Amino acid sequence: MAPTFIMAFDECIPYPADHDYAKTSTERTTRWAKRCLDAKTRDDQGLFGIVQGGMYPDLRRYSVESLCQMDFAGFGIGGLSVGEPHPLMYDILGQTTEHMPKDKARYLMGVGTPDCLVESVNLGVDMFDCVYPTRVARNGTAMLPTGRLVVRNAEFHDDFRPIDEHCDCYTCRNFSRAYIRHLFKAEEILALRLLTIHNLHFLLKFSEDMRSAIREDRFPEFRNNFLANYKEKQEE
């Protein structure tokens, strides 16, 4: 059986936060990490420490260096995607991963949009988790390589194409945009399930494509091509 991974306690610093608050919070997270590691008893669980530090490079480096003195199986990166603009998030993430060990997993917490995923992988992140694909599915939104499609919109009333004509998920193979829109308007729970299936399939396939691009030494090209076609504003 594959080992499971659990996370140490941490405090997620809000944005914005002043340096004094962020410092106190980061030091608390470091103390909690030590206590969690001391309390761990099961060998079948890998414990991850969580890097904090807010939007301050010096605190991020302090957090990484403090946690690296402890024997964690890997490291989560917390406190990002909490309201800060994307350029700032990428800047802090890059300065954080620069100091992290290369032989242990790097797990970015709470990030799930494809543009953020591809940029974060480019900055050295290995793992992700996020409620994003299921949350937007419940709101009637499907994930596409070019952005998002809000299937509840009236324009899809007579659109009998699948959500994505290039997708082979169960939803796209069996149901049309018009039918899924009808399910939402009728408040049928099946609508949420069908879009959830599609969104999860999309992200899994997207992750597989990124992994293949890395293995084949063509990730920069993959990233550039994806970002050139991805329209974030389409997601509003």
Side-chain angles (χ1 to χ4, degrees):
M1 180 182 297
T4 57
F5 296 100
I6 56 177
M7 311 303 294
F9 290 131
D10 72 318
E11 179 184 352
C12 183
I13 299 169
Y15 175 81
D18 63 46
H19 190 276
D20 287 343
Y21 177 92
K23 182 175 184 293
T24 299
S25 175
T26 303
E27 290 171 344
R28 178 182 300 116
T29 289
T30 301
R31 293 194 300 272
W32 284 350
K34 178 65 166 58
R35 292 171 65 182
C36 288
L37 196 59
D38 289 344
K40 180 178 177 296
T41 58
R42 293 177 52 175
D43 293 334
D44 62 331
Q45 292 181 334
L47 180 63
F48 278 36
I50 301 178
V51 176
Q52 288 290 347
M55 302 300 150
Y56 299 100
D58 62 316
L59 296 180
R60 288 282 171 175
R61 181 165 186 168
Y62 159 79
S63 183
V64 170
E65 291 177 349
S66 298
L67 294 177
C68 284
Q69 295 177 23
M70 308 177 205
D71 187 22
F72 287 109
F75 298 95
I77 304 170
L80 293 175
S81 191
V82 291
E84 78 279 7
H86 282 178
L88 176 58
M89 172 183 143
Y90 299 144
D91 179 44
I92 295 299
L93 178 59
Q95 294 192 60
T96 301
T97 55
E98 179 182 351
H99 302 296
M100 298 177 72
K102 293 181 172 58
D103 61 343
K104 292 192 175 182
R106 304 165 175 185
Y107 155 47
L108 181 57
M109 306 174 70
V111 172
T113 60
D115 55 329
C116 288
L117 296 184
V118 74
E119 291 288 34
S120 299
V121 167
N122 187 57
L123 293 170
V125 175
D126 304 303
M127 303 164 61
F128 304 87
D129 84 306
C130 191
V131 301
Y132 178 85
T134 53
R135 185 186 69 218
V136 298
R138 294 194 298 271
N139 294 327
T141 300
M143 302 175 69
L144 298 176
T146 53
R148 296 198 302 179
L149 184 147
V150 184
V151 74
R152 292 182 292 103
N153 289 351
E155 63 184 292
F156 302 115
H157 180 272
D158 295 315
D159 192 335
F160 297 103
R161 295 175 295 168
I163 294 294
D164 182 351
E165 293 176 306
H166 302 290
C167 178
D168 63 351
C169 77
Y170 172 79
T171 300
C172 289
R173 285 187 286 108
N174 292 281
F175 303 96
S176 69
R177 299 176 180 186
Y179 180 66
I180 296 173
R181 180 182 184 274
H182 158 72
L183 292 176
F184 271 101
K185 293 302 179 180
E187 299 184 352
E188 288 283 354
I189 193 68
L190 179 60
L192 284 65
R193 292 175 176 169
L194 291 177
L195 281 195
T196 295
I197 289 170
H198 168 79
N199 286 351
L200 292 178
H201 180 92
F202 169 83
L203 273 187
L204 288 171
K205 179 64 167 56
F206 185 66
S207 298
E208 290 173 357
D209 290 344
M210 285 195 291
R211 188 181 303 116
S212 295
I214 292 170
R215 286 173 173 167
E216 296 166 11
D217 197 25
R218 54 179 180 84
F219 183 77
E221 178 184 357
F222 173 91
R223 169 178 170 262
N224 291 337
N225 289 339
F226 172 78
L227 293 175
N229 292 295
Y230 186 81
K231 298 177 178 59
E232 186 177 3
K233 294 300 182 184
Q234 181 176 321
E235 301 188 353
E236 303 299 334

